[in-house]
Amino acid sequence: MTRFLVVLDADSTLIRNEVIELIADEAGRGAEVAAATEAAMRGEVDFAASLRSRVAALRGVPVSAFARVLERIEPTPGVTDLIDAVHERGGTVGVVSGGFHEVLDVIAPRLGVDVWRANRLAVADEALSGEVEGDIVDAAAKASWLRTWAAERDASVTIAIGDGANDLQMMSAATLGLAFNAKPKVRADADLVVGPVDLSAVIPLLPRA
Ligand SMILES: [Mg+2]
């Protein structure tokens, strides 16, 4: 059996949303943060610096607001079909996100994801402090987690799926880098562009059991 690993980006890949925009809505700053996120995903600005300034806009959002954010999350069509197919063929599913553990820790297990990594939002007095806790999961960190998970599982084939400029490093580190629902820069550099916004379109590309 071919040991393989499929790593997905979270925002606009695993799910239809950009979580940071949903949290920013709770601070009344959704439009401003959406524009900054769009620029970061197109690769026009440094990801880590952009993330820090967008997270600063979340300052004061109460932790209790995450319940509303979670209700608005919409999994991408075909996601459970893809994850089930990976598992049937003996593979592992990872998610690596420039978004946040606060949301991914709820969504990833529901969807059957095996391993995941994201950023953490600092909290003070039951509200977001506007800072990121610890190291930022940027493009280099995404590629590094793909390599780590592949090595841990002795996976000889890796598939990386993403939509944003911060996914390009992990896509080039993988055996196969797939642009999904992707920005022009990402489509141009991918091994293959998946057209439909339906993750089950990836199933024929998985190694056979
Ligand atoms: Mg994304």
Side-chain angles (χ1 to χ4, degrees):
M1 183 190 284
T2 307
R3 288 176 176 270
F4 71 101
L5 166 72
V6 176
V7 179
L8 297 100
D9 164 56
D11 298 79
S12 299
T13 302
L14 183 80
I15 59 174
R16 296 290 280 138
N17 320 79
E18 290 287 332
V19 167
I20 197 165
E21 297 175 10
L22 303 184
I23 305 172
D25 278 344
E26 299 289 334
R29 298 179 72 170
E32 165 200 342
V33 168
T37 301
E38 178 76 13
M41 291 306 109
R42 284 195 303 259
E44 295 168 0
V45 291
D46 176 70
F47 178 81
S50 162
L51 185 71
R52 286 194 197 282
S53 82
R54 285 179 284 141
V55 167
L58 308 180
R59 186 189 161 105
V61 171
V63 170
S64 59
F66 277 101
R68 275 192 300 275
V69 169
L70 282 164
E71 277 175 17
R72 293 178 64 193
I73 302 285
E74 193 186 333
T76 299
V79 65
T80 48
D81 294 334
L82 172 61
I83 291 173
D84 288 351
V86 172
H87 289 154
E88 272 166 27
R89 298 183 193 195
T92 301
V93 179
V95 170
V96 70
S97 173
F100 309 107
H101 268 290
E102 287 76 1
V103 167
L104 205 52
D105 288 353
V106 177
I107 291 165
R110 273 186 202 160
L111 295 176
V113 175
D114 300 300
V115 281
W116 60 93
R117 281 291 185 288
N119 293 302
R120 272 181 207 286
L121 293 164
V123 169
D125 297 329
E126 295 302 304
L128 300 182
S129 73
E131 284 160 356
V132 183
E133 218 167 75
D135 291 337
I136 284 183
V137 177
D138 59 5
K142 285 188 170 211
S144 171
W145 282 111
L146 180 139
R147 289 193 190 93
T148 300
W149 291 333
E152 283 172 0
R153 285 158 184 80
D154 209 11
S156 57
V157 172
T158 53
I159 299 175
I161 311 172
D163 71 291
N166 60 327
D167 297 316
L168 281 170
Q169 279 194 38
M170 74 165 178
M171 286 164 59
S172 67
T175 315
L176 185 63
L178 302 179
F180 180 83
N181 189 27
K183 304 297 180 200
K185 184 181 168 69
V186 181
R187 299 169 79 95
D189 288 5
D191 294 318
L192 200 62
V193 176
V194 178
V197 183
D198 182 342
L199 283 166
S200 65
V202 176
I203 294 172
L205 301 171
L206 301 177
R208 295 265 160 208

